[in-house]
Amino acid sequence: MSLAVLNERSKSIFRQIVETYLDSGDPVGSRTISRADGIDVSAATVRNVMADLEDAGLLVSPHTSAGRIPTDLGLRFFVDGLMEVGNLTREERASIKGQCSATGRALEDVLSDATKALSGLSRCASVVMVPKQDLTVKHIEFVPIAPDRALVVMVAEDGSVENRIITIPPGLPPSALIQAGNYLSTRLVGRTFDQVRGGVEQELKTRQAELDELTGKVVSEGLAVWGGGDDKASLLISGQANLLDNVQAAEDLERIRQLFNELERKKDLIRLMELAKDGRGVRLFIGAENNLFSLSGSSLVVSPYMNGANNIVGVIGVIGPTRLNYSRIVPMVDYTARVIGRML
């Protein structure tokens, strides 16, 4: 169905229904719409239009309520053809820029703070796809921070510093960490983790690495936290607790619980976000339009971000119930992606 088949009165009433629903979360009745500014028709006329919109699959009547709410198809019609995108306030822009400051910081830290800024302003969960970086290594060392934890510090040729925490065997002597760092450094300097991983893993497997068993485990852990196996990207999620703020009914809580389960399936979410890398600008996935969110009835608003070479390297966005304030969140996600691009 096309919006072109709706007359101006139907479009006006439909827009008012959607905006009222997104604002309140409650089914919208004909009397409420007939009293809205700019709707100069009777409640009876509104009921007739609502019935036509329901027949077209744009509205649905939940339970026995006399009111209507938009379907996923209806929300898609709204955001594609009727929504007026708002503008961010000066304070919102300053907040996003301030939290995304990249001076002297690792990319993952910048992106983590970007998701925190988005989740705080949107009052939803936010997510960012962190690109896998094939950094050329200059130096690597293992620093003990707890009886069973060590910090892996990697300095890249470009001067950036990356840190990861790994698990180590309890009681491991400091000499083993030094030996692990020396072993990896001699193989990594001037190369990337991907370039040496296969050879190091083979050496460890065939015991050609001239390392004792405990030191070999440290080396394996160090490779694992950086390589990420075959994954091309990792995922950072912030603000899940925001999704519980306005839960009003048992079925709402069940939907949020289901969304939490869906967010745990990060590989599926990464595949969905990869779709947004095919083009520029903000992209919306609404409810049952994608299999991942079909059970929880959630929406994902995402935008790709670019590096200094103007190549798309990742995606950032907001996840929440389909009753999102799209007109506010779309420019918020778009602006955050552009700020990250400038930082990179």
Side-chain angles (χ1 to χ4, degrees):
M1 180 179 177
S2 169
L3 278 174
V5 304
L6 298 181
N7 59 36
E8 289 304 314
R9 184 176 65 184
S10 295
K11 289 180 183 178
S12 180
I13 290 174
F14 178 63
R15 179 192 291 112
Q16 188 65 49
I17 292 170
V18 175
E19 290 177 347
T20 303
Y21 167 72
L22 295 180
D23 182 59
S24 69
D26 298 322
V28 183
S30 56
R31 187 173 296 276
T32 299
I33 298 302
S34 67
R35 293 174 176 175
D37 292 339
I39 306 295
D40 300 320
V41 296
S42 67
T45 299
V46 172
R47 281 195 294 274
N48 290 334
V49 172
M50 292 172 82
D52 291 339
L53 293 171
E54 188 169 4
D55 289 341
L58 302 181
L59 298 178
V60 66
S61 179
H63 310 302
T64 57
S65 170
R68 305 291 195 281
I69 63 173
T71 62
D72 292 345
L73 176 62
L75 288 173
R76 170 58 62 188
F77 267 56
F78 172 74
V79 299
D80 283 352
L82 297 175
M83 182 178 71
E84 296 180 2
V85 177
N87 293 314
L88 298 183
T89 66
R90 181 177 301 176
E91 291 76 15
E92 288 170 335
R93 291 172 181 265
S95 176
I96 293 171
K97 288 182 69 174
Q99 292 196 59
C100 294
S101 175
T103 305
R105 302 167 65 213
L107 172 63
E108 189 166 322
D109 293 334
V110 174
L111 295 177
S112 176
D113 284 347
T115 63
K116 292 173 184 175
L118 263 184
S119 64
L121 290 172
S122 67
R123 302 308 304 163
C124 291
S126 60
V127 60
V128 64
M129 193 169 69
V130 183
K132 182 177 175 182
Q133 294 182 289
D134 293 325
L135 297 174
T136 303
V137 179
K138 181 179 181 181
H139 174 72
I140 187 168
E141 64 179 289
F142 296 79
V143 181
I145 57 175
D148 62 344
R149 295 283 191 277
L151 184 69
V152 190
V153 182
M154 189 274 288
V155 181
E157 291 285 1
D158 65 1
S160 62
V161 179
E162 297 282 348
N163 300 309
R164 299 287 192 278
I165 294 176
I166 65 169
T167 301
I168 60 175
L172 188 75
S175 60
L177 294 178
I178 295 173
Q179 186 182 13
N182 290 339
Y183 170 78
L184 278 179
S185 289
T186 59
R187 287 156 177 78
L188 274 169
V189 171
R191 306 173 73 188
T192 69
F193 276 90
D194 278 349
Q195 289 172 335
V196 304
R197 180 180 298 104
V200 170
E201 289 175 344
Q202 183 62 28
E203 285 187 10
L204 293 173
K205 182 183 297 185
T206 59
R207 299 187 179 276
Q208 296 175 355
E210 298 182 359
L211 300 172
D212 60 44
E213 184 177 352
L214 292 181
T215 306
K217 288 182 178 179
V218 174
V219 171
S220 295
E221 284 287 330
L223 284 177
V225 297
W226 244 286
D230 295 327
D231 292 342
K232 296 181 179 179
S234 60
L235 210 60
L236 299 177
I237 302 175
S238 297
Q240 293 98 315
N242 292 334
L243 300 172
L244 296 170
D245 285 350
N246 296 309
V247 174
Q248 298 174 345
E251 58 265 30
D252 294 331
L253 184 59
E254 175 59 25
R255 280 195 293 270
I256 296 302
R257 186 194 67 78
Q258 183 62 47
L259 176 56
F260 283 176
N261 289 339
E262 291 162 348
L263 293 180
E264 286 298 315
R265 305 206 304 271
K266 290 188 175 182
K267 286 188 176 180
D268 293 336
L269 185 52
I270 286 176
R271 280 196 290 269
L272 180 61
M273 294 181 70
E274 285 277 2
L275 297 176
K277 292 176 66 176
D278 294 338
R280 299 171 187 260
V282 179
R283 185 164 180 180
L284 286 77
F285 300 92
I286 300 174
E289 288 182 348
N290 67 84
N291 292 330
L292 180 59
F293 295 139
S294 61
L295 295 178
S296 67
S298 304
S299 287
L300 175 65
V301 181
V302 289
S303 179
Y305 60 88
M306 295 176 286
N307 60 14
N310 213 33
N311 296 320
I312 293 175
V313 293
V315 181
I316 189 167
V318 166
I319 299 174
T322 53
R323 192 179 67 82
L324 288 175
N325 186 342
Y326 296 99
S327 64
R328 179 169 178 264
I329 288 178
V330 166
M332 193 179 293
V333 170
D334 178 59
Y335 183 72
T336 304
R338 287 189 282 116
V339 167
I340 293 172
R342 288 197 293 269
M343 296 294 183
L344 299 182

